[in-house]
Amino acid sequence: MNDMSTPVVRASGASFERQMNGLLRTRFDLRSDGARSYDGEIRKTYVSPHVRLADISFTPHSTRLKAGKSSRQGRSFLVSHQIEGHACVRQGGREAVITPNQIFFIDTTQPFEIETDDIRTRSIYLDSHFWQEIFPERELYTATALECDRGMGYTCKTMIDEMFGMEWDIQDRPMQRLAGCLANLLAVSMVTSKPIDPAVIGSNEQTLQRIHEAILRNLADPDLDCARIASEVGLSVRQVHAVFSGTGSTLMRHIWKRRLSRIASDLANANLSHKPVSTIAFEWGFNEAAHFSRQFKAEFGMPPAKYREHHVFQAGRAERGGSLN
C-alpha cells in the first residue's frame, strides 16, 4: 500500500524510465519531445505477479516498446484511464487521440507509440490470461478510445476509480478477481460500443495469412499452441481451428513441420556444425530430445545426426567440385 502524499517515484529522463520499468515490469522506451528532459511521478502503485496498478503523471514525452526480443512470460496489456491532459496512441494501424475521461488499452508486447502533453493517467497492467477466452478480438481494439461519460464506459471508469480509491493492502487473490471483472467490463464495452466492420476481419484467406504470420513470429517459443495463436490474431481457439482445417493439416502438425524444416536447414549448414543437435532443436522450440528425434526421423527418414553428417558431407564435396552421386 502507498500513501498518495508521498510519491513512490519522482525522477526525470533515464532515471524515471529505469525505475518505472523495474517497478511495473515493463519494457518501455521513454523520450522527451524537446530539448528538456521529461519529468515523471508515480503517486501510488500496486504490484503483484499478475496485476500492476499505477497512478502516474508525466510532462510531455513519447513512449515506445524497447527494441529486442519479447519475454516468454506471456503478453501483458496496459489499460489506461486518462485523468488529465491529452495523448495520441498508435498500434496495429490504428490511431486515437485520448482526452480526459477516456480509456484505451494496448498490447505491451507489440510495437506501439504514445505521445503526450502534460498528463495524469491511471494505468492497470493485466496479464493476457484475464482476456484469453472472454475477449479474443482484443487485437482489433488496441489504440481505440472508449468514452467514459455514459454507458458501459462509465461503468469501467467507475470500477477503475473504486480500484484506485481502495486501500491496497489486500491480498493478491481479491485484486486478481477485481482485475478479471474489469477485463470483462472492458471487453463488453468495446465490442458493444464499437463493433468491428466484418470487412476489417477479412476473408478466410486473409485470416489464414495472419495465422501463418503469428506462427512465424513465435515459432521458437516452446509454449506456442493454438491458444497463443488465437490470442495473437484476435480469434477464439475454435475459430482458428476452423480456419486452419481447410489446409489439410492440423495447426500443431503444421507448427512441428515448420520447426523441423528450420532445424533441418540449420543442420545442413556447415557453419553451424559446432552446435550440438540438441541445442539447435531447443532454439526452435523443441524441449524434449526423444520426442524431437522421433518427429525428425518421421519427417526426413533418418535421425538428425545422420541427416547433418549426410548433408554437410555432400556440401563439402560440392564445394571441392566432387560428384554428388
Side-chain angles (χ1 to χ4, degrees), residues 71-102:
S71 169
R72 290 185 178 181
Q73 294 180 350
R75 302 171 78 186
S76 178
F77 291 83
L78 163 62
V79 176
S80 180
H81 177 220
Q82 196 87 347
I83 305 299
E84 300 171 1
H86 297 75
C88 181
V89 58
R90 305 179 185 93
Q91 188 170 61
R94 290 172 297 280
E95 177 178 300
V97 175
I98 309 300
T99 61
N101 204 31
Q102 289 185 330

Side-chain angles (χ1 to χ4, degrees), residues 3 55 80 93 142 148 204 229 235 237 245 311 315:
D3 182 350
D55 191 307
S80 180
T142 59
C148 297
N204 273 9
I229 297 298
L235 297 174
V237 170
S245 64
H311 284 80

Side-chain angles (χ1 to χ4, degrees), residues 74-77 107 109-110 126-128 138 228 231-232:
R75 302 171 78 186
S76 178
F77 291 83
D107 181 347
T109 66
Q110 301 298 318
L126 302 175
D127 281 3
S128 183
R138 59 191 177 278
R228 173 70 178 275
S231 172
E232 287 273 346

Side-chain angles (χ1 to χ4, degrees), residues 217-284:
R217 283 196 303 271
N218 299 281
L219 195 59
D221 186 348
D223 297 323
L224 182 61
D225 58 12
C226 189
R228 173 70 178 275
I229 297 298
S231 172
E232 287 273 346
V233 300
L235 297 174
S236 68
V237 170
R238 180 185 58 78
Q239 288 172 315
V240 169
H241 282 308
V243 171
F244 210 83
S245 64
T247 67
S249 176
T250 66
L251 179 68
M252 289 311 300
R253 182 58 188 163
H254 176 79
I255 291 172
W256 291 338
K257 286 176 73 70
R258 297 297 287 266
R259 285 175 173 164
L260 291 170
S261 178
R262 295 295 181 90
I263 293 169
S265 179
D266 284 356
L267 291 177
N269 187 341
N271 293 326
L272 299 179
S273 59
H274 64 285
K275 272 191 174 184
V277 172
S278 58
T279 298
I280 293 175
F282 177 80
E283 288 175 346
W284 284 111

Side-chain angles (χ1 to χ4, degrees), residues 1-156:
M1 175 178 132
N2 306 117
D3 182 350
M4 287 283 285
S5 64
T6 306
V8 179
V9 175
R10 178 184 286 163
S12 299
S15 176
F16 181 82
E17 177 188 298
R18 181 173 60 254
Q19 292 183 66
M20 187 192 77
N21 281 334
L23 178 64
L24 299 179
R25 303 171 190 169
T26 49
R27 197 165 59 88
F28 294 168
D29 178 8
L30 284 72
R31 301 184 185 184
S32 172
D33 289 339
R36 182 180 178 277
S37 180
Y38 66 88
D39 299 319
E41 179 179 289
I42 301 179
R43 305 184 183 191
K44 183 180 181 182
T45 61
Y46 177 92
V47 178
S48 74
H50 301 290
V51 183
R52 283 93 69 206
L53 293 84
D55 191 307
I56 310 179
S57 296
F58 290 104
T59 58
H61 74 292
S62 63
T63 303
R64 297 174 179 83
L65 181 66
K66 277 186 179 290
K69 190 174 182 180
S70 298
S71 169
R72 290 185 178 181
Q73 294 180 350
R75 302 171 78 186
S76 178
F77 291 83
L78 163 62
V79 176
S80 180
H81 177 220
Q82 196 87 347
I83 305 299
E84 300 171 1
H86 297 75
C88 181
V89 58
R90 305 179 185 93
Q91 188 170 61
R94 290 172 297 280
E95 177 178 300
V97 175
I98 309 300
T99 61
N101 204 31
Q102 289 185 330
I103 293 174
F104 73 90
F105 74 93
I106 58 168
D107 181 347
T108 65
T109 66
Q110 301 298 318
F112 70 88
E113 183 175 22
I114 302 173
E115 297 178 348
T116 81
D117 53 24
D118 290 289
I119 66 165
R120 180 184 172 197
T121 179
R122 287 176 170 171
S123 301
I124 303 174
Y125 295 84
L126 302 175
D127 281 3
S128 183
H129 76 267
F130 287 111
W131 283 345
Q132 195 71 32
E133 297 297 333
I134 62 172
F135 198 7
E137 313 95 329
R138 59 191 177 278
E139 182 187 61
L140 304 176
Y141 284 92
T142 59
T144 300
L146 177 67
E147 302 288 344
C148 297
D149 58 352
R150 61 185 182 276
M152 294 297 294
Y154 179 79
T155 306
C156 290

Side-chain angles (χ1 to χ4, degrees), residues 180-244:
C181 290
L182 177 61
N184 274 273
L185 279 173
L186 189 58
V188 173
S189 301
M190 284 290 187
V191 299
T192 56
S193 65
K194 299 180 180 294
I196 295 295
D197 186 338
V200 173
I201 300 175
S203 64
N204 273 9
E205 290 75 15
Q206 292 171 316
T207 304
L208 184 60
Q209 179 62 32
R210 290 166 53 216
I211 292 172
H212 282 302
E213 291 170 353
I215 290 171
L216 291 178
R217 283 196 303 271
N218 299 281
L219 195 59
D221 186 348
D223 297 323
L224 182 61
D225 58 12
C226 189
R228 173 70 178 275
I229 297 298
S231 172
E232 287 273 346
V233 300
L235 297 174
S236 68
V237 170
R238 180 185 58 78
Q239 288 172 315
V240 169
H241 282 308
V243 171
F244 210 83

